Structure formats: structure tokens, C-alpha cells
Amino acid sequence: QGCERLAYEYALELKRLGHTVSITAPEGSVIPSPIEHIVTSRGGANAEIESAPRYKDRLKEWDVILDLSHYHVPATVMPDLPTLNVFWHDPYIAQYQQPKKNVIALSKYGKEAFERIYNQEALHQETIICNSALYAFNNKRNDRLLSVGLMSQTKGHLEAIRFARKLDMYLDIVGGMMPDDSPDYENTVKSLCSGKINYVGNCSDDDKIEFMRNCRGLIYPVCQLEIHSHKSVEAMMTGCPVVTYDLGAMKEVIGDCGFVVKTEKEFLTAMERIDTINNTKVREWAMKWDARKIVGDYIPLMEKVANGLRW
């Protein structure tokens, strides 16, 4: 999920183009064959720090390092490494230790926010990536809406349920929990799922994509700033339009492929109008995040970083 899926797709595409690729990832991760897997510990910041000795002596072997981790340990351990440090968190709400060089912002919004808060340059480079073959286009939709995301208050499942009930619409709820999360929110969501509201919970990527391929639209009443939206891109890859709030980078990501609104009243109106969005145009917009395009755009930057570019 998330950055793990991105690492997988970057590795596959770089390998297809003839590059030698290694991935550092926790034990048990699924790594595309025959790419080298450098095993790290599972967990958050402490696990990333504890894992550094496993590959520290090898850091200089690579021409360039695309760091999709949350805490950017390699750039902290060896600041002059040829790294591209992707900054995942909205700088307004998650001010983690940032790398001192070569910060990649996931959106124009993210670049401006990062520079404003940290007073440090960031480069906007489209980094969200999807293998378009996995997200096959579908122009025939059922009558169900979809809510996808972690079972967390910030992802808006309870609001999605409330809105669907208010409009008497069908809705599927898809999402799981992090290992240390409390079950309270998930239990509340489950308790409210009946009738036209169906609780799916955690499921495979393939099943999630099938829900996206077949639903009327993705509704995402997120209540916090987001620096990008991988799930929205995944949905749009299938031709699925998105309804969400105008927070963070959402307007930049969604464009005209859904409705980006400011109020609950506007959200409800958008849900009623979701079928007016052209599914073919949604897919065409989402192809800007296709793996071959994204990696193709990244390679010139990687070459410059390998040859000494720092910012």
C-alpha cells in the first residue's frame, strides 16, 4: 500500500529500462524478481534507524537513491549521498525531521508549504505512480459509491456513511487499520453499516481495484490537509470520479475529474451529480501518473543527482 506500492512500481520500470535496482524493505515484503531485496526491520522511525547498519556500508554503491521512506535515514547518516528524498507528510501537520538536501515535494502545494514552513528549497516532481495495466478502465458503473482509506477519523468514513444515508445512496466501505491502531473507530464504522451501506474492511489490492473499477465514484470527505492522494489517482486510473474537500493538494490532484468542494452542502450536491463526470476523461487525466511517464520524467533528474546536483 502507499509508498510500498510506489517502490515496487519504480523498481519494475527501472529494471525494464535496463537499470540495476535494489530495494530496502522490511522482512516479508513482496519484491519483484529478480530485484535484490535488502532486508530491514518492520516499524516506524526506530525501525528505520535500527536498520541503517544493515546497508550503511553499501550506500555508496548506488549511482542514485530514491528514498520513499518516511524518515530519510540514509540522507541523515550521510548527507552528501546522491539521494532524492520524497517528503510524504503535509508540512503543516507532520513536521518530522527533514533531510537537509534534495527534498522532493509530491505536489506544487507541498513544495510551497514545505518552503514556507522549513525555509528550505523543495523541488516539485510528480512521484505518485501507477501501473496503468492494473487499473483497467471501466466505463460501465454500478449504482454504488465507494469510501476507501485507513480506519481513521481523518479519512472520513463516518462522514461518508452519514452523507450516503442522507441521500439514500448505496455505499461500500473499504479499508484496514495499522497494527497499533485502536479498534474503536473501526467498530463504530462497522456498527453503522447496514441496509445500503456495506462494510468490506481490509481487502487485497486486486479487490480494492475492482471496487474502484465498478463504483459510481469515490467519495473522500477527508478532514485534514493532504500533500497528495494516491487513492484518488488509483480510482481515477479506472475512470472513477472523485468527490472530496478542498484541502491541501486535492484540487491540484483531482482537476476536473470530480468535485472539490468547500462545504457539506456542496459535497452532497456533488454526490448527486457524480454521474455527470465523463469516465473516459477521468482515465485520460490519470494517465499522467502512469509508470512509464513518471519514471521517464524522473530519469533525467536522477542522472543529474548522480552527477552531483544538490539543492
Side-chain angles (χ1 to χ4, degrees):
Q1 310 295 334
C3 55
E4 294 84 2
R5 167 59 72 179
L6 268 61
Y8 187 96
E9 297 298 345
Y10 274 101
L12 273 182
E13 182 61 14
L14 288 167
K15 186 70 176 178
R16 187 189 71 81
L17 294 171
H19 298 278
T20 301
V21 185
S22 301
I23 292 180
T24 62
E27 185 175 1
S29 298
V30 177
I31 306 297
S33 177
I35 291 168
E36 178 192 19
H37 179 195
I38 300 171
V39 179
T40 63
S41 303
R42 288 188 173 278
N46 290 337
E48 288 189 21
I49 293 168
E50 291 165 2
S51 296
R54 299 193 191 187
Y55 58 83
K56 181 180 177 182
D57 292 341
R58 299 192 57 194
L59 286 173
K60 292 186 178 180
E61 292 181 20
W62 297 296
D63 296 320
V64 65
I65 299 168
L66 179 60
D67 191 343
L68 297 166
S69 69
H70 290 284
Y71 300 97
H72 305 102
V73 173
T76 303
V77 174
M78 301 173 69
D80 199 43
L81 281 173
T83 54
L84 291 156
N85 301 300
V86 179
F87 200 82
W88 279 97
H89 307 282
D90 190 289
Y92 286 107
I93 59 177
Q95 296 184 34
Y96 296 128
Q97 176 179 343
Q98 79 278 17
K100 300 301 181 185
K101 294 180 181 177
N102 290 28
V103 172
I104 298 290
L106 292 177
S107 57
K108 293 177 183 177
Y109 159 81
K111 168 183 167 63
E112 294 170 359
F114 186 93
E115 291 179 343
R116 201 158 41 239
I117 290 174
Y118 288 109
N119 194 30
Q120 176 185 338
E121 184 180 1
L123 177 68
H124 169 227
Q125 183 78 21
E126 283 293 350
T127 302
I128 297 299
I129 183 174
C130 284
N131 180 343
S132 58
L134 297 177
Y135 299 86
F137 172 69
N138 185 12
N139 197 34
K140 295 180 179 179
R141 300 277 163 172
N142 61 33
D143 60 354
R144 305 190 69 83
L145 296 168
L146 179 65
S147 178
V148 174
L150 286 173
M151 285 297 146
S152 162
Q153 185 70 45
T154 62
K155 301 304 180 182
H157 291 302
L158 292 178
E159 288 74 15
I161 291 170
R162 182 164 60 84
F163 294 168
R165 287 210 184 282
K166 188 171 259 189
L167 297 174
D168 195 31
M169 289 181 165
Y170 291 96
L171 174 69
D172 292 314
I173 305 287
V174 172
M177 295 191 303
M178 298 294 284
D180 296 329
D181 287 349
S182 166
D184 293 349
Y185 185 81
E186 181 185 35
N187 290 337
T188 301
V189 171
K190 281 182 179 179
S191 71
L192 295 172
C193 291
S194 61
K196 292 184 176 181
I197 315 295
N198 176 46
Y199 179 82
V200 178
N202 199 18
C203 66
S204 69
D205 258 8
D206 289 345
D207 287 341
K208 177 189 70 177
I209 292 168
E210 276 302 297
F211 277 106
M212 290 177 169
R213 289 188 69 243
N214 293 304
C215 71
R216 291 174 69 183
L218 175 70
I219 59 172
Y220 189 37
V222 61
C223 65
Q224 71 174 19
L225 297 168
E226 297 216 344
I227 204 165
H228 211 289
S229 178
H230 191 202
K231 68 174 64 64
S232 296
V233 172
E234 289 183 296
M236 291 188 296
M237 269 278 170
T238 73
C240 174
V242 180
V243 181
T244 188
Y245 281 120
D246 187 8
L247 294 170
M250 298 309 296
K251 186 175 289 186
E252 183 181 337
V253 174
I254 304 303
D256 294 327
C257 295
F259 298 95
V260 182
V261 303
K262 295 184 181 298
T263 68
E264 180 176 318
K265 182 179 179 181
E266 290 175 349
F267 203 108
L268 293 167
T269 299
M271 288 171 63
E272 293 178 306
R273 297 184 58 211
I274 194 73
D275 298 328
T276 65
I277 301 295
N278 184 289
N279 302 114
T280 301
K281 289 184 178 179
V282 175
R283 167 69 169 191
E284 290 172 353
W285 168 263
M287 286 299 291
K288 65 193 284 187
W289 289 288
D290 179 59
R292 296 194 176 190
K293 181 182 187 310
I294 293 293
V295 174
D297 290 345
Y298 243 109
I299 285 176
L301 178 60
M302 289 178 168
E303 291 173 344
K304 291 177 183 177
V305 170
N307 290 318
L309 174 66
R310 305 289 184 268
W311 64 86

